[in-house]
Amino acid sequence: MKNIEIVTPIEVKEYAELTPQEARLVELARQATHRSYAPYSHFSVGAAILLDNNEIITGSNQENAAFSSGTCAERTACFYAGASYPDAKFKAIAVAARDASEDFVMRPVPPCGACRQALLQYETLADDNVKVLLVGRNEIYILPSIKSLLPLSFTEF
Ligand code: THU
C-alpha cells in the first residue's frame, strides 16, 4: 500500500500587498458583482478573467426562475471569454461575492465544482497555469492554477 497526499498551496494577501495587475482584476471582479441578477439567492458573484491579449472579461451570476437554467459568475465570464476571443489564452481569474447584507463576504468564495471543471478546460487549452484570486473582505486567496482547485481532475476528451 502507499499513500498519496495532495496539497493545495494558497498565498494569502491583504489588499495592499496585491500587484497592480492583481488589484485591477480584483477590482473588476468586485464591480461585476453589481451586475449580478440574483433575485432568489441574493448572493451576488462577480468574476474577471485576464486573457493573454490583455483583455479582461467580466461576468456575474445570472439566476432564473427555472433554477437550473441560471449560471454562476465564473461560467458566465469563462464562456463569454471563449466565445469572444476563441484564440486567447486565460491567464488569471478573480472571483468576488456579496451576500444579502450587500457587503463583500468575509471569507473568499471558491468556484463551485461545475465551474472548476469548466475553467479547467480553458486552462488545459492555454497549456499554462491560470492564476486564481479569491476575494474576501480583507484578504485575497491566491492559488497557482485551476488544477490546484480541482485535483484528480478529468481532462481526457
Ligand atoms: N455562485 C456563483 O456565481 N459562483 C460561485 O462560485 C458560487 C455560487 C452563484 C450561483 C447562485 O446564483 C448563487 O451564487 C447562490 O449559490
Side-chain angles (χ1 to χ4, degrees):
M1 190 190 92
K2 66 174 185 174
N3 293 302
I4 297 172
E5 194 174 336
I6 298 173
V7 176
T8 301
I10 305 178
E11 189 181 11
V12 182
K13 282 191 181 181
E14 294 180 5
Y15 279 79
E17 296 175 307
L18 296 173
T19 66
Q21 192 185 56
E22 289 169 345
R24 174 98 184 114
L25 205 60
V26 164
E27 177 53 25
L28 289 175
R30 286 166 61 98
Q31 287 177 13
T33 64
H34 294 283
R35 297 188 289 277
S36 153
Y37 176 59
Y40 306 104
S41 71
H42 303 288
F43 192 70
S44 301
V45 186
I49 295 174
L50 172 67
L51 301 175
D52 69 347
N53 61 8
N54 285 324
E55 290 283 343
I56 294 178
I57 300 296
T58 63
S60 54
N61 56 327
Q62 299 293 316
E63 297 183 351
N64 194 275
F67 283 3
S68 59
S69 300
T71 188
C72 294
E74 295 89 327
R75 271 176 290 164
T76 304
C78 135
F79 293 142
Y80 182 44
S84 307
Y85 297 102
D87 299 325
K89 294 179 175 181
F90 287 24
K91 300 289 287 179
I93 179 169
V95 184
R98 287 180 300 114
D99 59 22
S101 77
E102 287 291 296
D103 207 347
F104 285 95
V105 292
M106 188 59 82
R107 264 195 40 201
V109 169
C112 76
C115 286
R116 293 177 197 208
Q117 186 71 44
L119 288 164
L120 181 69
Q121 191 129 348
Y122 291 89
E123 181 168 83
T124 306
L125 277 172
D127 201 21
D128 199 0
N129 287 347
V130 175
K131 187 159 86 171
V132 181
L133 295 99
L134 305 177
V135 181
R137 200 181 301 167
N138 303 316
E139 290 178 335
I140 297 93
Y141 289 0
I142 303 180
L143 292 92
S145 62
I146 304 295
K147 196 169 173 59
S148 65
L149 272 175
L150 193 63
L152 292 181
S153 42
F154 174 72
T155 53
E156 305 298 317
F157 51 86

